Amino acid sequence: MPPAAKLERRVVTAAEQALERQRHVCPLDVLTGMGWLPPGLVTDWRQGRAPDLESVAAVSADRLTDALEIFHRWVEGRGLRPSEVDYPSATRDRRPLRFTAAADPALERAYRTHWMPADLPERQRDRLTARQSRPPDLVVVLPLRDFTCASCGHSGAEMLTMEDAGPICLTCADLDHLVFLPAGDAALTRRAKAASRLSAVVVRFNRSRKRHERQGLLVEQAALDQAEQQCLSDEEARARRRERDRERREAADETFQHDLAAEITRLFPGCPPDRAESISRHTSIRGSGRVGRSAAGRALDQDAVTRAVIASIRHEETPYDDLLMSGVPRDEARIRIRDAIDRILTRWRRSTQVDDHP
């Protein structure tokens, strides 16, 4: 396939996926979906730590322009309606973010324009535009090492915010009157943020995951006091709601486990019914991260169900765990037991029940 055709296919695929997912699409969605704009670096740009979007892209400015031209041809073909959106930075001055190094007015406008279906109701259109133009949260960083404030020259502060001159302590940023609310209580955080005239998200960089992760919120003391009082006043009601939610989740899990066991029996009629139920319960435990908790597993995807059955056979019917404990590498251990798993799968796929030991 010629390079131009390959690029067009990638642009159109990313655009279609974004439009289907969120009912609107913009150049940033497309370039991110193509992998040309790493999400972490886009966050740096939104938070004012990069001069323009082109500087954080994985490709040249000319390649970005080529993709933008293809995107606009696709937009015209789909008959989408434009809506220009503001892109303020997550800094105290809320300055407009810049997309191109040269600040070309036509390109800047093209990047800011979002596109929506022509049949989208006007009220929904206005709501989407307002949400997209909403200024991002101010961001404060818990640094991993000491820093020197670019404004006052002092070091040893616990938190910083980034400005053009570099890291700024909260005193110089006029944020030192705010109090830290650790993450963990969603209701308290939501109410404190709503009541606080000024707030900032607190993040810390996770070296192993190579990303900034949310640690809490800076809010006004009066807002925090008000939120705490509101949470105390309706704690009983929220406890009842949590109990109802728990019961609904348990009922949904029980229904799903029944459906999953039925699907295992359908795909593997030779699998004993009690074994199918055991596999279903094991793979669908909430919070386990197993196949049954994945999107494919919840949809009873045939491949996902088969993987769950194979995993059960691997641990229950083969010496796989013993091999691992004896120091055999995982890949080699799986090779050794592959024939045994295949034999059991073959028997279980038959409707006649036979002995299931390898």
Side-chain angles (χ1 to χ4, degrees), residues 3 31-32 60 98-99 102-104 106 112 146 152 193 199 203 210-211 220 226 271 278 300-301 318-319 328:
L31 298 175
T32 302
S60 67
R98 203 171 70 200
F99 291 88
D104 177 83
R112 289 198 305 270
D146 288 342
C152 66
K193 183 178 182 180
S199 63
V203 299
K210 297 182 180 180
R211 69 186 185 193
E220 296 171 318
Q226 176 182 326
C271 176
S278 174
L300 298 179
D301 175 79
T318 77
V328 177

Side-chain angles (χ1 to χ4, degrees), residues 134 137 180-201 214 216-220 222-235 237-239 241-242 245:
R134 189 180 304 151
D137 291 321
F180 178 57
L181 172 60
D185 189 326
L188 182 61
T189 297
R190 183 179 63 253
R191 286 171 166 169
K193 183 178 182 180
S196 189
R197 293 168 300 176
L198 178 64
S199 63
V201 174
R214 186 170 181 145
L217 200 67
L218 288 177
V219 294
E220 296 171 318
L224 179 57
D225 293 341
Q226 176 182 326
E228 288 175 336
Q229 188 60 43
Q230 290 173 340
C231 287
L232 286 174
S233 64
D234 68 356
E235 175 58 30
R238 289 195 295 130
R241 185 163 57 247
R242 286 196 299 269
D245 291 342

Side-chain angles (χ1 to χ4, degrees), residues 1 26 30 36 125 189 192 202 217 222 237 240 294 308 328 343:
M1 180 181 294
C26 67
V30 174
W36 284 8
R125 176 186 174 88
T189 297
V202 179
L217 200 67
R240 289 197 301 268
S294 67
V328 177
R343 285 196 299 271

Side-chain angles (χ1 to χ4, degrees), residues 259-321:
D259 293 343
L260 178 55
E263 182 65 9
I264 292 172
T265 301
R266 187 186 72 82
L267 294 175
F268 301 95
C271 176
D274 58 342
R275 184 61 187 281
E277 292 177 3
S278 174
I279 295 173
S280 173
R281 286 194 303 271
H282 178 78
T283 195
S284 60
I285 294 176
R286 185 175 294 274
S288 66
R290 298 179 183 127
V291 174
R293 301 307 307 182
S294 67
R298 302 296 290 182
L300 298 179
D301 175 79
Q302 180 172 330
D303 289 339
V305 174
T306 300
R307 289 198 302 273
V309 172
I310 290 174
S312 178
I313 294 173
R314 181 185 301 126
H315 295 289
E316 298 294 332
E317 260 88 10
T318 77
Y320 178 70
D321 291 344

Side-chain angles (χ1 to χ4, degrees), residues 238-255:
R238 289 195 295 130
R240 289 197 301 268
R241 185 163 57 247
R242 286 196 299 269
E243 179 63 20
R244 289 196 301 270
D245 291 342
R246 183 188 64 79
E247 291 174 353
R248 280 196 296 267
R249 286 195 300 270
E250 289 180 350
D253 284 348
E254 185 175 346
T255 300

